[in-house]
Amino acid sequence: MNSIEIKNVSYQYQPNKPVLQEINLTIKKGEWVTILGHNGSGKSTLSKLIIGLLKPKTGEINVNGIPLTQETVYDIRQKVGIVFQNPDNQFVGVTVRDDIAFGLENLQIPREEMIERIETYARKVNVLEYLNKEPHALSGGQKQRVAIAGILAMHTDIIIFDEATSMLDPKGRNMVLETMKQLRHEGKTIITITHTMNEALLSDRIVVLKDGRILKEGSSQTILKDKTTLEKSNLEMLLPLKVLYDLEQENYTNKRIKDLLWELSLNV
Amino acid sequence: MKNIVIGRYIPGNSFLYKIDPRTKIIALIILMVAVFMLRSLIFMLAGLGLIMLLLAIGKISVKRVYLGLRPLMFLLIFTFSFQILFNTQGTQLIDVTLHYTVLTIPLIIALFFFWMYTKKIIRFKLLYFFFIVSLILSVLIFIDVGYTLNQGALTIYSQGLEMAFFIMLRLIIIVTLSTILTLTTKPTDLNLGLESVLKPLKIFRVNTEEIAMILAISLRYIPTLLDEANKIMLAQASRGVDFSEGKLKDKVMQIVSLLVPMFIISFKRSDELANAMEARSFVPGRNRTRLQTLHWSSLDTVALSIAFVALFTSIALRIFV
Ligand SMILES: Nc1ncnc2c1ncn2[C@@H]1O[C@H](COP(=O)(O)OP(=O)(O)O)[C@@H](O)[C@H]1O
Ligand SMILES: [Mg+2]
């Protein structure tokens, strides 16, 4: 079964400045897809289209086989959750508990079940001990995990991470990546949006966006090694691969190897 | 900026923490009305005594309340001085001549600058301020040496003095009452309380849930925005904007350099927040279930009764005394 079908979708914020053009993309249930692209390539716009925050200018979107329309948008939002980039700008509640409850209150979940779900998912993302804390007492990684708990508690089938780790320190980032891996095992459909390679490595499939068009799409293994595609879309290749490619060029010297490894160690 | 305590909840466990937020909000309104009914300084003093008693039983430190009053210090001093200097009703209590001579004028200017530069290192700023003011007054009253440039009169009337204390006390009591509410009520509860207290407005087609949501989000974002303001001030300071000193014109520039980025950031923030809320199935005006619920207990009945007794007492005092 397909989780998401995007057919021939275009979008523009301002006339004659298309942000997305003729996007065709199908994501299967339980698949983990990375959308990769430089800043401004239209990644966030795509995720807002999927959840019906924006309406496509042309084309159509199906979620779980249901066409996205004015009538179905609220039902579809119950199936799709987004974790946004800035942990501060998606924290609605006054406390962690209230914030996880926010989505559940909107879904009109009865109070007893709410309490149960809050506890379950707070434990799952490891924020149980912070339930009574206010957001300014939390680190970025903790806030982001609260956001994830809030989405998980809503029992959505599809979760989109829109650069959810980009504002976190390495520790916070790893915590979030661990949660994503766990979600994959549970059969959730995952879409991660990023412009760095490390995260893309974890997913099944990579879709490369450039200037609002799909430049290339394929398994993570093939895309990560695809030097021309990555260069064309201004993306940094993973350093070990970069070293490998550089060494494959014939006239390498010991000094060149040392320089490359030095560069590698600085970037890890 | 860092020490702003208005709207800050401080955890504790006295009876004030156990009263239902609805009771506290209604009692606050009732007590404020009661305070405005009072007509004489004696009653106001009695009121202050009762408030101090409330603070003592409720185990709230006077220091916390003082911190809440501090931002209003200027207003307090201003209204106090205004009444003392310009209210000319009642009997004249003090009438002294102020001597502005070639000696005293440089002396008070010197005192003023001395205060300006030393106030930063003195701990009891308010006390120090009054000390300097009385020093300046003593200079003007008692030193009549040198060529006299001008003479002024300092006259204080009984009514002026009384009103000065009366208004100051009233302001202190009202701010203290509101501080007690915010100190002892979790923002979540405060918000729930407000929502249900506002509910009667529904008959006027006011969307009370939406008002409550706006209040909740404002409460949620005050600390974040203050953090942001601090960051911007640091950033601007590193570009050479000095926020601590300066003339009025500089002050205006400083505020503009703070407000413009704050405005832009808040705009972006609210756009993102609105998206995040909608993505989590929030639809304005649609029914929601609530995680938090409120419970009325006998403590609330007692507290509310006491508030009403206070109100009726002050109404009676107004009518019969
Ligand atoms: N609300 C908006 N109004 C106008 N233009 C926008 C708006 N949001 C994004 N854009 C523009 O659309 C393009 C794609 O933005 P976005 O989808 O946010 O890219 P990405 O997430 O890949 O960085 C950018 O050129 C951006 O300037
Ligand atoms: Mg983006």
Side-chain angles (χ1 to χ4, degrees):
Chain A
M1 197 174 116
N2 291 333
S3 264
I4 296 174
E5 291 157 351
I6 298 170
K7 292 179 196 156
N8 225 352
V9 163
S10 302
Y11 188 80
Q12 57 193 33
Y13 290 96
Q14 290 149 357
N16 301 323
K17 282 189 190 160
V19 169
L20 288 175
Q21 293 181 68
E22 292 153 37
I23 302 290
N24 283 292
L25 181 63
T26 303
I27 296 173
K28 285 198 281 294
K29 193 169 163 17
E31 202 180 8
W32 183 348
V33 173
T34 297
I35 296 176
L36 202 59
H38 58 85
N39 271 330
S41 57
K43 307 183 295 291
S44 297
T45 306
L46 189 59
S47 66
K48 282 176 194 159
L49 284 166
I50 293 173
I51 204 166
L53 288 171
L54 301 172
K55 193 169 163 286
K57 291 288 171 288
T58 64
E60 65 170 80
I61 296 173
N62 294 338
V63 177
N64 280 357
I66 304 165
L68 177 62
T69 63
Q70 292 251 296
E71 287 77 41
T72 59
V73 66
Y74 297 128
D75 295 332
I76 283 176
R77 279 185 197 159
Q78 300 188 10
K79 302 276 175 266
V80 190
I82 303 190
V83 182
F84 292 92
Q85 180 174 21
N86 189 333
D88 262 320
N89 295 354
Q90 53 186 320
F91 205 110
V92 186
V94 179
T95 62
V96 170
R97 189 194 306 280
D98 289 340
D99 189 64
I100 299 176
F102 177 74
L104 302 175
E105 292 177 327
N106 294 336
L107 296 182
Q108 302 184 37
I109 307 286
R111 184 164 178 269
E112 287 70 35
E113 194 182 336
M114 244 194 265
I115 294 170
E116 233 166 71
R117 286 202 202 177
I118 290 170
E119 188 166 335
T120 310
Y121 293 101
R123 176 172 291 129
K124 180 157 187 179
V125 301
N126 223 344
V127 293
L128 197 59
E129 65 215 274
Y130 307 114
L131 275 182
N132 292 320
K133 287 261 191 302
E134 292 170 28
H136 59 258
L138 303 179
S139 73
Q142 287 164 341
K143 272 183 255 191
Q144 213 57 323
R145 278 182 294 151
V146 172
I148 294 172
I151 303 283
L152 293 183
M154 292 174 76
H155 291 173
T156 63
D157 306 329
I158 304 161
I159 303 180
I160 303 175
F161 293 87
D162 188 352
E163 306 205 30
T165 60
S166 69
M167 292 178 85
L168 305 183
D169 55 15
K171 196 164 158 241
R173 183 197 197 90
N174 283 334
M175 290 192 290
V176 172
L177 290 181
E178 280 309 312
T179 314
M180 288 183 194
K181 284 185 208 163
Q182 218 179 329
L183 293 177
R184 186 228 296 264
H185 284 301
E186 285 163 25
K188 300 261 186 203
T189 307
I190 305 175
I191 303 176
T192 45
I193 292 175
T194 180
H195 59 254
T196 60
M197 286 300 173
N198 312 48
E199 270 176 62
L201 197 60
L202 296 169
S203 62
D204 306 318
R205 188 151 61 103
I206 296 180
V207 176
V208 183
L209 270 189
K210 181 174 192 285
D211 301 328
R213 286 179 189 277
I214 293 181
L215 181 69
K216 192 107 187 201
E217 127 178 45
S219 77
S220 301
Q221 306 298 323
T222 49
I223 298 285
L224 285 170
K225 285 186 225 149
D226 187 342
K227 204 176 164 197
T228 40
T229 301
L230 295 181
E231 264 168 11
K232 253 197 239 169
S233 48
N234 290 328
L235 292 163
E236 269 303 305
M237 185 176 288
L238 280 173
L239 258 156
L241 283 172
K242 203 166 149 193
V243 176
L244 187 73
Y245 279 117
D246 273 23
L247 292 182
E248 273 173 359
Q249 288 169 3
E250 282 164 41
N251 51 350
Y252 66 87
T253 62
N254 277 346
K255 181 163 186 324
R256 182 73 190 120
I257 299 174
K258 275 184 201 156
D259 284 350
L260 279 168
L261 290 175
W262 179 233
E263 201 184 322
L264 171 68
S265 68
L266 285 182
N267 274 275
V268 166
Chain B
M1 279 282 186
K2 279 239 164 73
N3 304 322
I4 287 192
V5 290
I6 307 169
R8 273 271 159 97
Y9 166 76
I10 311 284
N13 55 6
S14 75
F15 79 98
L16 284 173
Y17 288 87
K18 298 189 180 92
I19 300 179
D20 190 289
R22 288 169 294 187
T23 314
K24 281 193 249 186
I25 294 166
I26 295 170
L28 174 69
I29 297 167
I30 293 175
L31 291 178
M32 279 190 180
V33 174
V35 168
F36 271 96
M37 288 281 168
L38 296 176
R39 267 297 132 105
S40 89
L41 184 60
I42 310 278
F43 297 149
M44 205 53 90
L45 276 169
L48 185 70
L50 288 175
I51 297 284
M52 297 306 263
L53 190 67
L54 183 63
L55 290 179
I57 306 173
K59 293 187 201 140
I60 293 177
S61 80
V62 177
K63 195 174 155 227
R64 286 257 169 246
V65 177
Y66 168 72
L67 286 176
L69 278 168
R70 214 165 48 176
L72 294 173
M73 218 35 103
F74 177 76
L75 186 65
L76 283 172
I77 292 173
F78 179 78
T79 48
F80 188 80
S81 325
F82 189 85
Q83 286 296 330
I84 283 205
L85 295 176
F86 299 113
N87 189 328
T88 55
Q89 280 165 339
T91 52
Q92 200 173 39
L93 296 177
I94 295 172
D95 183 16
V96 290
T97 319
L98 301 177
H99 310 282
Y100 303 107
T101 73
V102 283
L103 180 65
T104 57
I105 288 182
L107 213 52
I108 58 172
I109 291 174
L111 271 173
F112 177 75
F113 279 103
F114 180 73
W115 172 73
M116 283 275 288
Y117 287 104
T118 51
K119 68 176 176 184
K120 281 180 207 151
I121 50 172
I122 303 281
R123 264 197 65 200
F124 302 97
K125 291 197 171 51
L126 191 64
L127 224 56
Y128 187 56
F129 173 77
F130 284 120
F131 174 69
I132 294 288
V133 168
S134 48
L135 258 185
I136 288 179
L137 278 175
S138 319
V139 165
L140 288 175
I141 294 166
F142 299 114
I143 302 182
D144 186 12
V145 183
Y147 179 67
T148 303
L149 297 167
N150 200 350
Q151 277 192 341
L154 176 68
T155 48
I156 295 180
Y157 293 82
S158 59
Q159 278 277 314
L161 198 61
E162 202 181 319
M163 279 305 281
F165 278 106
F166 179 82
I167 292 178
M168 190 172 76
L169 281 182
R170 189 161 69 186
L171 208 59
I172 288 177
I173 290 176
I174 283 170
V175 175
T176 306
L177 283 172
S178 341
T179 310
I180 292 175
L181 174 70
T182 51
L183 276 180
T184 62
T185 317
K186 278 191 214 131
T188 322
D189 292 342
L190 189 61
N191 184 54
L192 273 176
L194 276 173
E195 187 179 337
S196 75
V197 168
L198 288 174
K199 218 161 233 165
L201 289 179
K202 270 211 157 134
I203 48 170
F204 303 115
R205 294 176 158 273
V206 178
N207 190 337
T208 52
E209 279 108 7
E210 236 157 79
I211 295 175
M213 178 65 77
I214 290 167
L215 285 170
I217 289 173
S218 314
L219 281 175
R220 147 74 186 92
Y221 276 95
I222 287 170
T224 313
L225 289 176
L226 285 177
D227 269 0
E228 205 113 79
N230 259 325
K231 266 188 227 151
I232 294 172
M233 275 161 80
L234 279 178
Q236 305 285 42
S238 74
R239 296 193 189 97
V241 181
D242 183 355
F243 282 94
S244 57
E245 296 294 322
K247 295 190 285 286
L248 183 66
K249 194 179 134 227
D250 298 337
K251 279 259 185 281
V252 170
M253 280 311 294
Q254 291 156 14
I255 290 171
V256 168
S257 78
L258 180 64
L259 280 187
V260 171
M262 281 296 288
F263 197 74
I264 294 169
I265 291 172
S266 307
F267 235 71
K268 186 166 149 35
R269 197 185 276 289
S270 44
D271 184 48
E272 286 183 17
L273 184 66
N275 276 332
M277 287 171 71
E278 276 198 73
R280 281 160 80 183
S281 288
F282 178 70
V283 184
R286 203 162 75 173
N287 272 344
R288 313 171 67 224
T289 47
R290 301 306 295 263
L291 174 68
Q292 312 282 356
T293 52
L294 298 172
H295 300 284
W296 193 268
S297 70
S298 48
L299 182 64
D300 295 298
T301 316
V302 173
L304 211 52
S305 313
I306 294 176
F308 271 112
V309 168
L311 178 64
F312 293 139
T313 312
S314 55
I315 292 175
L317 287 174
R318 173 94 179 234
I319 297 173
F320 300 114
V321 180

